[in-house]
Amino acid sequence: MASGYKTDEETNDKDNSIWVLDHQMDQSMEEESRQLRNVHQEKDHSVYKILQFAFQSLGIVYGDLGTSPLYVFYNTFPDGVENTEDLIGALSLIIYSLTLITLIKYVFIVCKANDNGQGGTFALYSLLSRHANILTIPNHDLSDEKLTTYSRAVFREQSFAAKTKRRLEGHHVKKHAILVLVLVGSCMVIGDGILTPAISVLSAVEGINVGRAKISGDVAVLVAIVILIFLFSMQRYGTDKVGWLFAPVVFLWFILIGGIGIFNICKYDYTVLRAFSPVHIYRYFKRGGKDGWTSLGGIMLSITGTEALFADLSHFPVSSIQIAFTVVVFPCLLLAYTGQVAYLMKHPNYVVGAFYHSIPESIYWPVFLVATTAAIVASQATISATFSLIKQALALGCFPRVKVVHTSTKFRNQIYIPDINWILMVLCIAVTAGFHNQTQIGNASGTAVIIVMLVTTFLMTLIMILVWHSHWSLVLLFISLSLIVEGFYLSSVIQKVYQGGWVPLVIATTFFIIMYVWHYGTAKRYEIEMHTKVSMAWILSLGPSLGLVRVPGIGLVYTELASGVPHIFSHFITNLPAIHSVVVFVCLKCLPVHTVPEEERFLVKRIGPKNFRMFRCVARYGYKDLHTKDDDFEKKLFDSIFLFVRLESLMDGGSSDSDVSSLLDEQNETAFDYTLKAINSMCSSSTALQLADSIEIVNSPLHQNVSTIAPDRENDQTEVDELEFLVSSKNVGVVHFLGNTVMKARRDSRFCKRIAIDYIYAFLRKICRENSVMFNVPHESLLNVGQTFYV
């Protein structure tokens, strides 16, 4: 045996010892996270404020649901009414659909499953992922669970919730199944965001033709298209300036349709109130047979907007939304539908445009104007819900990076996504011009809505088990009733796939491919970084100079890793002979929480001995925070590093926890303000003044105070030296290192994988927005490190 040969056991022992050493030197930031944790308190709103929010929610949340009376009966009876008793049966179905699905399921059950006030499919997924490890990109660790907004439940080992959690976590296929379910539901919401403006505006405009004035169908479509173009063109200005009009308009709309309903009930046929008896549902299906079952697709439209209600939840407290629905929306909708049926009992031939026919002559045109305005507001609600959903998908790695613009300085939830806006407009105009009538658009909308509801049902079942720890009997009751009702609707809607129902399926399939391929590519990139990361022990074995020339300045190396050294860094230092005197590994991490407080956003730790001048900074974001341009990112980052240096000095000097707490709690000075004070008090005046001239004073939420803290002199001098070095390095210049990883499928890969990676993902990477733009990195300070990997 040659002398240089080593056995496999010896080699493995050496490798294991290296990784043990590496783990000791680069542990998770659990302690740093604990120090930054603040006390988070939910806002308690007064009764007056709750009522004010309830009024405002009418315009943002309930516009879509409120305009359904414009087109429900026409889509339910497209061939006319043969038996007036069918109207009673249809009304009974509408009453109990609104009661069971909208009122009980969504308003009082699903809305309670919000993620710290955030609603929608991705919010449910985020909530679930904190209680079970179902994320396909496992980039969180124990330090993230110390966040004040990271709430999770504790299971008993043998409980049903714990068993369900283990079943989900133990199978990769089940994790992917939940992700696919979430993506399908989200894509259907996007489809509904295209169809709702089309059917709402077109239905409102067609009111011109109802016995008062006559225009051709083509002209009505053209007018609707003009309104839609105006609607989407105004999105860039946001709803902040005109949003105050939404609530009064929709409130007036509900009062009008409720009042007209009462008028028609009293004038035409008060006996329609017998529809509140569910026995008429049985008689409706017995009498109508297959036709009655098929008509469920039209009745389904009476609850469109229910999912948008949940998606727009972030704007208002849950209690205000519940009050608005039970006090205003629900009774007015019941009166509106009941009044239309009372009118149709005497005029069954007027089922086309039933709402407009039932309006008293003297107030027709004012109601028409309010209806058109309400339809525009309803469209705005679904568009806003689509924007919110896309932003959540962006943060969770399920959508290509696009520009997100905040249209209001007061309300963070008011956003505008230009690329998505114009895509929605083009598709909405295509649907309106292509179908020309409400029936086919209604069939398409019904398909999208019922699929979203089924997805919500399955996710809510997991929420009840894992988050709420509900008794199995309640879970069984919820899923049974939901699947029975929604299953009937789905079976009817499927029959209309060839009559317009294919539209949301095509739209959803397109968006699903985009979202799934992007998420697959993102997961592969993370997997590559994990498998190719460099051992910290190897980096430290190079010595303080890293075997290179350390030039003045600071290098920010961006990575998706919260531990270890990214491959791009080793790739860089093996090809170039120099690196900056200070190196900071910056990890941008999005967590399954709605937001990360500014005080807890940045975690900083030192890598190796102090003379290596290497730090790691983890910037943590929630899905509300990420993908909006952060002009102060670099400034906040350096504030955090300065705070860390001071904290480290205190801990090394044996300071108590109260000293550390006082340093973190003070809110009167910035990190750089403190740096100047510290230097003034611990070094010569000439040095301090010279250094002060070179420091740019910045604003930051990380504040400090030194008046009550007196560490020993040696630590003082070490701290001052390091602060001086950091400030001087920052003034020399900052370079941002970003990895430009190109992924290609291996030659032996399956055909689908090659298409997904080499064509779809590569195309999406080419057209999406760069990370450097989001964090306001100037081009002259940007250095892309290119590398190619085969997956």
Side-chain angles (χ1 to χ4, degrees), residues 169-183:
E169 294 178 343
H171 297 83
H172 196 64
V173 174
K174 292 180 180 178
K175 294 182 182 180
H176 270 280
I178 295 175
L179 175 64
V180 168
L181 198 66
V182 170
L183 294 182

Side-chain angles (χ1 to χ4, degrees), residues 422-457:
W422 302 124
I423 291 173
L424 292 179
M425 186 188 77
V426 170
L427 293 176
C428 190
I429 291 173
V431 168
T432 306
F435 284 146
H436 279 80
N437 63 76
Q438 304 173 27
T439 304
Q440 289 182 312
I441 302 177
N443 294 338
S445 181
T447 304
V449 170
I450 194 60
I451 292 177
V452 176
M453 289 183 174
L454 284 168
V455 169
T456 302
T457 297

Side-chain angles (χ1 to χ4, degrees), residues 715-764:
N715 285 328
D716 283 350
Q717 189 58 46
T718 301
E719 177 188 344
V720 171
D721 291 343
E722 184 157 26
L723 291 175
E724 287 181 354
F725 188 83
L726 288 173
V727 172
S728 62
S729 298
K730 178 180 180 295
N731 291 332
V732 169
V734 179
V735 176
H736 301 255
F737 296 86
L738 268 71
N740 187 15
T741 303
V742 176
M743 289 197 310
K744 293 184 178 180
R746 293 192 299 265
R747 290 185 178 182
D748 59 345
S749 300
R750 291 173 298 176
F751 175 76
C752 292
K753 184 177 180 179
R754 291 202 303 270
I755 294 295
I757 295 295
D758 293 344
Y759 295 97
I760 301 177
Y761 183 74
F763 174 74
L764 294 175

Side-chain angles (χ1 to χ4, degrees), residues 124-185:
L124 292 179
Y125 182 60
S126 175
L127 183 61
L128 276 174
S129 65
R130 294 204 302 274
H131 293 78
N133 184 21
I134 60 174
L135 291 175
T136 55
I137 304 179
N139 65 341
H140 65 283
D141 51 38
L142 290 176
S143 63
D144 301 325
E145 297 177 12
K146 302 296 181 182
L147 284 169
T148 52
T149 53
Y150 198 104
S151 59
R152 62 184 304 176
V154 179
F155 308 120
R156 288 185 293 106
E157 188 64 27
Q158 299 301 320
S159 65
F160 182 59
K163 294 177 181 178
T164 304
K165 179 176 181 289
R166 287 194 292 269
R167 292 191 189 101
L168 291 176
E169 294 178 343
H171 297 83
H172 196 64
V173 174
K174 292 180 180 178
K175 294 182 182 180
H176 270 280
I178 295 175
L179 175 64
V180 168
L181 198 66
V182 170
L183 294 182
V184 168

Side-chain angles (χ1 to χ4, degrees), residues 343-648:
Y343 177 84
L344 291 173
M345 292 291 285
K346 301 298 183 182
H347 309 88
N349 295 329
Y350 287 160
V351 69
V352 178
F355 173 77
Y356 286 108
H357 282 293
S358 66
I359 300 174
E361 183 76 26
S362 59
I363 62 171
Y364 179 82
W365 288 112
V367 173
F368 170 77
L369 292 176
V370 175
T372 304
T373 308
I376 295 174
V377 173
S379 303
Q380 178 62 55
T382 58
I383 294 170
S384 298
T386 303
F387 288 161
S388 298
L389 184 143
I390 292 293
K391 187 183 177 185
Q392 293 177 2
L394 280 168
L396 295 176
C398 294
F399 203 85
R401 294 183 297 271
V402 292
K403 184 178 182 180
V404 178
V405 180
H406 281 268
T407 58
S408 173
T409 56
K410 299 178 182 178
F411 307 101
R412 291 181 60 191
N413 294 317
Q414 293 186 10
I415 59 174
Y416 166 63
I417 306 178
D419 299 331
I420 300 300
N421 182 67
W422 302 124
I423 291 173
L424 292 179
M425 186 188 77
V426 170
L427 293 176
C428 190
I429 291 173
V431 168
T432 306
F435 284 146
H436 279 80
N437 63 76
Q438 304 173 27
T439 304
Q440 289 182 312
I441 302 177
N443 294 338
S445 181
T447 304
V449 170
I450 194 60
I451 292 177
V452 176
M453 289 183 174
L454 284 168
V455 169
T456 302
T457 297
F458 287 117
L459 293 178
M460 276 301 303
T461 302
L462 294 176
I463 293 289
M464 294 178 74
I465 295 172
L466 297 176
V467 182
W468 294 350
H469 300 172
S470 302
H471 193 272
W472 65 266
S473 58
L474 293 177
V475 177
L476 184 62
L477 177 65
F478 172 82
I479 193 172
S480 299
L481 289 177
S482 297
L483 289 180
I484 289 172
V485 176
E486 293 163 7
F488 270 112
Y489 277 120
L490 179 65
S491 63
S492 174
V493 165
I494 289 176
Q495 302 297 315
K496 298 186 177 183
V497 169
Y498 296 104
Q499 303 172 24
W502 57 270
V503 173
L505 298 180
V506 171
I507 295 172
T509 301
T510 304
F511 276 94
F512 176 82
I513 292 173
I514 292 172
M515 295 171 79
Y516 186 80
V517 169
W518 182 262
H519 182 79
Y520 176 77
T522 303
K524 283 295 181 184
R525 281 169 56 89
Y526 182 79
E527 185 179 323
I528 289 171
E529 285 220 36
M530 285 294 295
H531 287 142
T532 60
K533 69 179 182 179
V534 182
S535 167
M536 188 64 65
W538 176 76
I539 292 292
L540 298 181
S541 68
L542 300 176
S545 66
L546 300 179
L548 306 168
V549 177
R550 299 295 292 266
V551 298
I554 297 180
L556 303 181
V557 183
Y558 290 83
T559 175
E560 295 183 16
L561 302 177
S563 63
V565 178
H567 185 267
I568 63 167
F569 183 71
S570 63
H571 182 66
F572 177 81
I573 64 176
T574 54
N575 286 276
L576 291 176
I579 192 64
H580 294 86
S581 56
V582 178
V583 176
V584 182
F585 295 104
V586 182
C587 172
L588 306 176
K589 181 191 291 190
C590 184
L591 302 177
V593 295
H594 72 293
T595 187
V596 175
E598 284 284 349
E599 300 85 357
E600 303 178 57
R601 176 150 299 161
F602 292 93
L603 292 181
V604 181
K605 69 175 294 183
R606 189 185 298 277
I607 297 178
K610 290 185 178 182
N611 59 348
F612 275 68
R613 310 287 189 191
M614 295 173 64
F615 300 89
R616 181 184 307 285
C617 180
V618 178
R620 304 179 296 180
Y621 294 86
Y623 52 79
K624 275 179 59 179
D625 308 321
L626 202 58
H627 289 278
T628 52
K629 189 173 181 180
D630 192 348
D631 295 330
D632 298 328
F633 176 76
E634 183 180 309
K635 194 162 52 176
K636 295 173 183 176
L637 177 66
F638 285 113
D639 280 350
S640 303
I641 295 175
F642 272 84
L643 175 62
F644 168 79
V645 171
R646 180 56 180 154
L647 281 171
E648 185 184 48

